[in-house]
Amino acid sequence: MATQHSRSAARMMMAPATILLLGWMLVPLTMTLYFSFKKYLPLRGGDLGWVGFDNYVRFVSSSSFWPAVATTLVIVGGVLIITVILGVLLALLLDQPIWGQGVVRILVIAPFFVMPTVSGLVWKNMFMDPVNGFFAHLWRAVGAEPIQWLSQASLPSLIMIISWQWLPFATLILLTAIQSLDSEQREAAEMDGAGPIGRFSFIILPHLARAITVVVLIQTIFLLSIFAEIFVTTAGAFGTKTLTYLIFQRVLESQNVGLGSAGGVYAIILANIVAIFLMRVVGKNLDR
Amino acid sequence: MKQIQLKQVSKCFGNVEVIPPLDLQIEEGEFVVFVGPSGCGKSTLLRLIAGLEDVTTGQVLINGEDATAIPPAKRGLAMVFQSYALYPHMSVRKNIAFPLRMAGLDKAEQARRVEEAASVLNLTDYLDRRPGQLSGGQRQRVAIGRAIVREPTAFLFDEPLSNLDAALRVGMRLEISELHKRLATTMIYVTHDQVEAMTMADKIVVLQAGMIEQVGSPLDLYHKPCNTFVAGFIGSPKMNLLAGKEAAKHDAHTIGIRPEHVAISSTAGEWEGVVGVSEHLGSDTFIHVTCPVFSEPLTVRASGELDLTYGAKVYLTPDLAHLHKFDDLGIRLK
Ligand SMILES: Nc1ncnc2c1ncn2[C@@H]1O[C@H](COP(=O)(O)OP(=O)(O)OP(=O)(O)O)[C@@H](O)[C@H]1O
Ligand SMILES: [Mg+2]
């Protein structure tokens, strides 16, 4: 796009898409902001007028707010740590020439194709059920008392389910990154006297830094809004209420749209804080 | 002393025998060049010596000890790769220090040796840069620096200059030769460029399809190529290899004559021909001459006085003292 003419032509052609996307983003955002300043109870009188920052104050001062923020951060952090660590290990493993590589790779990425609702239900009923679940059988087989996964260890269970879903994504991205490592570099390190651990920490891990950053950033975006897995397993009980889930409860269970909208604005703020924090910590890997 | 010895070493990838069993001896302090056409197994042979590939059969001896089962890091060899294989996330200083760090040397000693290598290679000003911020020649020097700090028993180079432009290649060629003179360490150097081989080597190993065709000093190979492959490969431009009636006159299946050993005249000579394309290199002019007695055109070196326009009639006379004779299998005749 070198000339004035081609530039303006390009703008013209991009305009419809840009305007559509902008509208797509702006309309819900404006509506959220609009409702967050109103007392709006759909089944109890509807629009009851402007209330200023009332909703914001009420949302934060509710006893569920800070625990929800904490739960959100614990889930996001836990899943990130597990998927990145296991993802690196699995990618290293899949990079080795093994028998039946094609099949193994497909199996590893399979969980990513399972819908969140389905995977939540499968884990809840087939693995974590305290009576008929697979884990219960396993525990009983070794003579132990089965764990009531979703009530006694609710947060770890949820982190496990969500990690299972996101591990393939991390593995796939990290695997392609490992495969892009120049084999002469590995051999040079081998000649230079670096053992397997030295090669991993001095050559492979630095090479993966950028891919890990991408995994962390993309996953964070999606994990902050995790909903279906919680909805079908604990329904927000046993300390698994995230900010997203709290907003859902305020809007649909308490039928308080204004309060929920204020929560939505807080969620945007939280996401931005997390994003700024992440860009500070890992973002520098991207501009190398 | 024989420093590196290959005994009946062979290498197969799956069912394909890339290197049939071969023997090779490399003396201490020698500059040995492996040369051959692309895909002939030069890199593979070098990697077998380095230990980056396992031999299929045979033994690799280093300093008289069987090193076949010794891992690459413990063989005391340093390798410079074609792609340089620098660590992109480390500064030049850290790149050069990496083998020392892996060997567990203390910080002061590491710094001392890095400084030393950097001053030898004119890298002192670049020590804090990343490899990505260096030019090709500088990267090449960093890779060499990383090899020399280890003070290895031998250096292995795999086509280290093939990514550089022609001028820089000549410069680096000299630098490497100079480095060899100064360090007096054994160097094994892989290239497919016969000019590099001729100018740098003490000993050239000519390979074809994994087999050693001839081992010898550059001048040996130039004056006494042991078969038509070596004759055609060594020397630039190529030796003229001529078969047929004219060869039979000299009791040979094929005769070989280098462009510099053919006299050209516009009046009289042994073979009559017609001038084709001329290549002027400034110091020399190489002329392609088509002779009716041979199926292929000859390349001839000419001085500037003659009128050698395209299509002119000329006469060629070979210098019989420099005529090479080969039998029907391409083997040199005594
Ligand atoms: N890992 C491998 N698996 C199978 N075949 C291989 C492998 N590595 C090399 N080869 C084969 O071995 C032969 C020699 O390869 P090699 O890399 O040693 O050639 P080379 O002489 O270094 O060529 P070049 O000058 O192009 O670098 C080639 O025919 C190549 O296809
Ligand atoms: Mg090669």
Side-chain angles (χ1 to χ4, degrees), chain A residues 110-132:
Chain A
F112 204 50
F113 299 127
V114 179
M115 280 171 282
T117 330
V118 176
S119 86
L121 286 173
V122 166
W123 275 88
K124 178 186 180 182
N125 296 321
M126 296 180 73
F127 287 95
M128 292 173 167
D129 190 283
V131 182
N132 295 314

Side-chain angles (χ1 to χ4, degrees), chain B residues 43 82 158-159 190:
Chain B
S43 301
Q82 182 173 357
D158 190 356
E159 307 205 20
V190 164

Side-chain angles (χ1 to χ4, degrees), chain B residues 13 18 36-45 53 82 159 190 192:
Chain B
F13 288 112
V18 174
S38 188
C40 69
K42 307 177 296 285
S43 301
T44 309
L45 195 57
E53 301 279 0
Q82 182 173 357
E159 307 205 20
V190 164
H192 59 255

Side-chain angles (χ1 to χ4, degrees), chain B residues 100-144:
Chain B
L100 306 175
R101 187 163 155 209
M102 289 297 109
L105 258 68
D106 65 81
K107 283 264 155 54
E109 176 69 9
Q110 280 185 28
R112 194 186 64 72
R113 287 219 221 165
V114 170
E115 292 294 338
E116 202 178 290
S119 73
V120 169
L121 295 163
N122 288 328
L123 282 171
T124 314
D125 296 340
Y126 308 106
L127 279 178
D128 293 311
R129 294 217 198 155
R130 292 271 178 92
Q133 301 162 320
L134 298 178
S135 74
Q138 289 162 348
R139 282 182 216 183
Q140 185 57 62
R141 285 206 287 267
V142 176
I144 294 174

Side-chain angles (χ1 to χ4, degrees), chain A residues 129-193:
Chain A
D129 190 283
V131 182
N132 295 314
F134 176 72
F135 290 151
H137 283 295
L138 212 64
W139 256 246
R140 264 186 240 112
V142 296
E145 182 70 15
I147 298 175
Q148 313 246 331
W149 286 93
L150 287 167
S151 49
Q152 288 172 344
S154 50
L155 218 45
S157 305
L158 258 180
I159 291 177
M160 194 153 91
I161 297 172
I162 299 168
S163 299
W164 178 81
Q165 274 190 320
W166 281 92
L167 186 57
F169 173 76
T171 308
L172 215 59
I173 291 198
L174 294 171
L175 178 64
T176 56
I178 285 186
Q179 286 173 336
S180 75
L181 178 59
D182 179 18
S183 68
E184 286 198 345
Q185 248 179 62
R186 281 191 215 202
E187 287 172 349
E190 199 178 336
M191 294 281 304
D192 283 344

Side-chain angles (χ1 to χ4, degrees), chain A residues 182 184-185 187-194 198 202-203 206-207 288, chain B residues 47 72-73 77 81 83 85-89 98-99 101-102 146 150:
Chain A
D182 179 18
E184 286 198 345
Q185 248 179 62
E187 287 172 349
E190 199 178 336
M191 294 281 304
D192 283 344
F202 294 116
I203 310 297
H207 176 80
R288 237 195 311 141
Chain B
R47 293 163 58 82
L77 307 173
F81 293 84
S83 67
L86 300 178
Y87 311 127
H89 52 277
F98 189 72
R101 187 163 155 209
M102 289 297 109
R146 197 172 62 186
R150 297 177 53 195

Side-chain angles (χ1 to χ4, degrees), chain A residues 13-278:
Chain A
M13 291 192 219
M14 286 194 299
T18 315
I19 291 168
L20 186 71
L21 275 176
L22 204 67
W24 205 284
M25 191 192 84
L26 278 183
V27 171
L29 184 66
T30 323
M31 282 178 74
T32 308
L33 280 171
Y34 173 80
F35 283 121
S36 70
F37 293 105
K38 287 207 143 190
K39 191 175 174 82
Y40 186 64
L41 310 167
L43 297 182
R44 288 170 283 155
D47 191 346
L48 300 175
W50 299 97
V51 290
F53 280 93
D54 231 25
N55 286 324
Y56 286 91
V57 177
R58 269 186 62 197
F59 196 86
V60 204
S61 50
S62 137
S63 63
S64 325
F65 177 72
W66 288 110
V69 171
T71 307
T72 309
L73 294 180
V74 168
I75 290 184
V76 172
V79 174
L80 282 181
I81 291 170
I82 292 177
T83 50
V84 167
I85 291 177
L86 290 184
V88 169
L89 294 179
L90 261 178
L92 281 176
L93 190 71
L94 290 180
D95 187 39
Q96 311 292 321
I98 45 171
W99 187 79
Q101 204 162 35
V103 179
V104 173
R105 283 188 188 164
I106 290 174
L107 282 181
V108 168
I109 57 173
F112 204 50
F113 299 127
V114 179
M115 280 171 282
T117 330
V118 176
S119 86
L121 286 173
V122 166
W123 275 88
K124 178 186 180 182
N125 296 321
M126 296 180 73
F127 287 95
M128 292 173 167
D129 190 283
V131 182
N132 295 314
F134 176 72
F135 290 151
H137 283 295
L138 212 64
W139 256 246
R140 264 186 240 112
V142 296
E145 182 70 15
I147 298 175
Q148 313 246 331
W149 286 93
L150 287 167
S151 49
Q152 288 172 344
S154 50
L155 218 45
S157 305
L158 258 180
I159 291 177
M160 194 153 91
I161 297 172
I162 299 168
S163 299
W164 178 81
Q165 274 190 320
W166 281 92
L167 186 57
F169 173 76
T171 308
L172 215 59
I173 291 198
L174 294 171
L175 178 64
T176 56
I178 285 186
Q179 286 173 336
S180 75
L181 178 59
D182 179 18
S183 68
E184 286 198 345
Q185 248 179 62
R186 281 191 215 202
E187 287 172 349
E190 199 178 336
M191 294 281 304
D192 283 344
I197 294 176
R199 283 206 293 280
F200 175 74
S201 45
F202 294 116
I203 310 297
I204 298 177
L205 211 52
H207 176 80
L208 287 183
R210 199 186 297 210
I212 291 177
T213 311
V214 169
V215 168
V216 166
L217 292 178
I218 293 183
Q219 282 199 19
T220 307
I221 294 169
F222 285 96
L223 293 178
L224 278 171
S225 57
I226 269 300
F227 177 79
E229 293 85 341
I230 304 171
F231 184 73
V232 298
T233 52
T234 59
F238 311 114
T240 59
K241 202 183 292 170
T242 59
L243 198 53
T244 320
Y245 205 87
L246 184 65
I247 295 167
F248 160 76
Q249 285 188 333
R250 289 290 181 265
V251 174
L252 278 160
E253 289 174 12
S254 332
Q255 287 290 325
N256 191 336
V257 174
L259 195 56
S261 298
V265 176
Y266 280 118
I268 296 170
I269 295 169
L270 178 73
N272 277 294
I273 292 173
V274 172
I276 291 168
F277 172 76
L278 282 178

